[in-house]
Amino acid sequence: GAVVSQHPSRVICKSGTSVKIECRSLDFQATTMFWYRQFPKQSLMLMATSNEGSKATYEQGVEKDKFLINHASLTLSTLTVTSAHPEDSSFYICSARAGGARGKNIQYFGAGTRLSVL
Amino acid sequence: DAKTTQPPSMDCAEGRAANLPCNHSTISGNEYVYWYRQIHSQGPQYIIHGLKNNETNEMASLIITEDRKSSTLILPHATLRDTAVYYCIVRAHTGGFKTIFGAGTRLFVKA
């Protein structure tokens, strides 16, 4: 299947710093990418939909100024957690939609980034 | 998108078939049934999807009832590595294509 690469896989940072997470579609172009957050023993929660060349669409309750999303190319979307605090510690997962004949409307997921804010 | 209902957990013996049910009684005519799984501390993995016909691939089979109100994911010969949370999702291919995850079924494959 298609590959979505997410980097870094784990990050530990001090409270108040900003953290950038990258999501790349390695062998297909993704006009739409998605960002999820997952707390321990819970399901994935959709944070936002990232569209190439336009502003991201955030789910209700997700602070757009806190979680900055940039989707500057058809293969790269980034999520920046600004001024991170311990409550932002979570497992962040990106996914990309492989549309059309390639992938037939399948969404592929990255391996996730575990963020720990001290 | 339609809501799905899955049992919270299931056990299966290694080497036996694992049959994971999913109810989606409010599914619309243009919504597909997707299955993903998430092994501990990893990103979800696509398994299979279908509209109304039964589907089979190298990982699993998907059986959708004629009225499309429920489906079953079948792992024909479960292994210990199939222990994971399995998510049943219904979604149209139009609109935002957002995938909303429910609680899923935690499958334990035991030796």
Side-chain angles (χ1 to χ4, degrees), chain A residues 97 103-107, chain B residues 4 6 22 24 27 31-36 46-51 62 64 71 73 86-93 97 99:
Chain A
R97 176 187 180 185
K104 297 188 175 74
N105 291 299
I106 296 170
Q107 205 169 331
Chain B
T4 63
Q6 298 177 252
C22 179
H24 31 80
I27 191 170
E31 289 181 318
Y32 290 71
V33 180
Y34 281 79
W35 283 84
Y36 287 85
Y46 165 80
I47 301 174
I48 198 168
H49 77 283
L51 182 62
L62 173 61
I64 302 174
S71 61
L73 178 74
Y86 288 76
Y87 297 99
C88 169
I89 295 156
V90 291
R91 182 183 65 204
H93 286 176
F97 202 76
T99 297

Side-chain angles (χ1 to χ4, degrees), chain A residues 42-44, chain B residues 4 6 85 87-89 100-104:
Chain A
Q42 294 185 20
S43 188
L44 286 80
Chain B
T4 63
Q6 298 177 252
V85 179
Y87 297 99
C88 169
I89 295 156
I100 306 299
F101 287 82

Side-chain angles (χ1 to χ4, degrees), chain B residues 11-18 75-83 107-111:
Chain B
D11 289 346
C12 177
E14 187 179 22
R16 303 296 295 269
L75 307 178
H77 305 286
T79 70
L80 298 180
R81 288 178 294 181
D82 291 322
T83 292
L107 175 68
F108 295 95
V109 180
K110 300 181 177 180

Side-chain angles (χ1 to χ4, degrees), chain A residues 11-77:
Chain A
V11 59
I12 301 172
C13 70
K14 293 182 179 179
S15 185
T17 61
S18 294
V19 175
K20 180 185 283 188
I21 302 169
E22 292 187 349
C23 180
R24 295 180 184 274
S25 57
L26 296 186
D27 55 355
F28 64 98
Q29 293 183 333
T31 56
T32 306
M33 292 185 172
F34 304 88
W35 288 96
Y36 293 82
R37 179 167 56 180
Q38 185 176 34
F39 292 107
K41 297 187 178 181
Q42 294 185 20
S43 188
L44 286 80
M45 184 192 79
L46 180 65
M47 300 176 66
T49 301
S50 168
N51 300 294
E52 186 269 336
S54 64
K55 291 183 179 180
T57 303
Y58 291 81
E59 295 299 304
Q60 189 173 8
V62 178
E63 302 175 57
K64 61 179 68 176
D65 295 330
K66 174 75 171 176
F67 300 99
L68 301 179
I69 292 173
N70 185 286
H71 191 161
S73 77
L74 286 172
T75 60
L76 174 63
S77 176

